[in-house]
Amino acid sequence: NIGTAGVDASKAPILEAELRFMRAWYYWHLVESFGDIPFTLEPTESIITTAKRTPADQVYEQIFSDLQYAVDNAPLTNTDYGKITKPIAEAFSARVYLTRGRYEEALTYAQHVMNDYGYGLMPNYADLWKMENEKNQEIIWGLNYSTNLEFNDGSNVGHSMYLMEYDTQPGMLRDVSNGYPNVRYMPTKFLLNLFDEQKDARYNSSFK
């Protein structure tokens, strides 16, 4: 719908490059995980009760097409950290070509990224884990969190918000293996009722 969305004509290819990259990104994760998958280029606007698998090779054709568009139309740099750029698209292209055994194309893109855009290894490996180095010369595509904590609640600890307060149970101590029990989020009753408490191994009667 970019052509009818009223965006500036000069920005339309860049926005489409971002969209095509993300479509390739998500389809790649699906096809790598499951092989033949349901595949469509049309928006889902109603309930669909059937699913047909599309051969993985066909899905990859679209992934390569989308990534090529992103390589050709994404900007070299972007002041909005985390937005798709040409080197990001080339780096991911190298990864996808590598997984498909197309080594020459993978090498070409990888060499572009390593040699043409100023990326490089940090002199001291330990410096990668310093908070002040959250953005550094090694990062090609980084997750972007807001500096405003009001918008960032749970951004890096959300996985712990579902954990029950197990350390109040007899004999239980808080540890790394079992996670930090923040006890803030709860699945909906509908979601919980989708699982059989008697058969699902994730239920543990001693914690009820």
Side-chain angles (χ1 to χ4, degrees), residues 24 27-28 31 59-68 96:
Y27 266 129
W28 181 76
V31 76
V59 180
Y60 271 106
E61 287 180 9
Q62 185 61 47
I63 291 173
F64 285 125
S65 175
D66 285 341
L67 287 178
Q68 188 60 58
V96 179

Side-chain angles (χ1 to χ4, degrees), residues 131-178:
M131 291 302 296
E132 61 267 25
N133 291 333
E134 184 177 2
K135 300 176 183 179
N136 62 70
Q137 66 197 46
E138 283 196 28
I139 297 177
I140 298 172
W141 186 28
L143 293 175
N144 190 22
Y145 292 111
S146 171
T147 56
N148 185 339
L149 295 181
E150 291 184 2
F151 300 124
N152 243 10
D153 179 40
S155 61
N156 62 345
V157 294
H159 62 282
S160 70
M161 297 295 185
Y162 290 97
L163 296 180
M164 66 168 290
E165 199 174 10
Y166 64 85
D167 53 346
T168 61
Q169 303 299 313
M172 294 295 295
L173 297 175
R174 181 181 301 177
D175 57 30
V176 174
S177 298
N178 289 296

Side-chain angles (χ1 to χ4, degrees), residues 4-183:
T4 59
V7 300
D8 187 278
S10 62
K11 294 181 179 179
I14 296 174
L15 295 175
E16 186 170 345
E18 293 174 358
L19 292 169
R20 284 179 176 265
F21 177 94
M22 295 310 303
R23 180 167 66 184
W25 173 262
Y26 290 121
Y27 266 129
W28 181 76
H29 278 80
L30 288 170
V31 76
E32 278 291 294
S33 298
F34 304 107
D36 299 347
I37 58 171
F39 171 78
T40 181
L41 299 179
E42 300 298 325
T44 301
E45 298 178 338
S46 62
I47 296 174
I48 297 177
T49 58
T50 60
K52 296 181 180 179
R53 291 180 181 269
T54 297
D57 287 344
Q58 182 178 336
V59 180
Y60 271 106
E61 287 180 9
Q62 185 61 47
I63 291 173
F64 285 125
S65 175
D66 285 341
L67 287 178
Q68 188 60 58
Y69 188 95
V71 168
D72 293 340
N73 292 279
L76 287 174
T77 60
N78 201 317
T79 55
D80 192 354
Y81 186 76
K83 286 267 187 142
I84 303 306
T85 60
K86 181 181 179 68
I88 292 173
E90 288 190 345
F92 185 45
S93 295
R95 173 70 179 273
V96 179
Y97 277 119
L98 189 63
T99 62
R100 299 301 284 171
R102 296 170 60 172
Y103 302 122
E104 290 188 10
E105 293 101 322
L107 178 62
T108 297
Y109 278 121
Q111 287 180 329
H112 283 175
V113 176
M114 290 187 292
N115 300 327
D116 298 344
Y117 302 114
Y119 296 113
L121 299 179
M122 293 282 284
N124 183 3
Y125 178 74
D127 289 344
L128 288 171
W129 316 113
K130 294 180 179 180
M131 291 302 296
E132 61 267 25
N133 291 333
E134 184 177 2
K135 300 176 183 179
N136 62 70
Q137 66 197 46
E138 283 196 28
I139 297 177
I140 298 172
W141 186 28
L143 293 175
N144 190 22
Y145 292 111
S146 171
T147 56
N148 185 339
L149 295 181
E150 291 184 2
F151 300 124
N152 243 10
D153 179 40
S155 61
N156 62 345
V157 294
H159 62 282
S160 70
M161 297 295 185
Y162 290 97
L163 296 180
M164 66 168 290
E165 199 174 10
Y166 64 85
D167 53 346
T168 61
Q169 303 299 313
M172 294 295 295
L173 297 175
R174 181 181 301 177
D175 57 30
V176 174
S177 298
N178 289 296
Y180 190 83
N182 279 324
V183 201

Side-chain angles (χ1 to χ4, degrees), residues 164 169 197-198 203-208:
M164 66 168 290
Q169 303 299 313
E197 189 171 341
Q198 302 304 317
Y203 283 94
N204 188 322
S205 58
S206 64
F207 290 168
K208 294 176 186 176

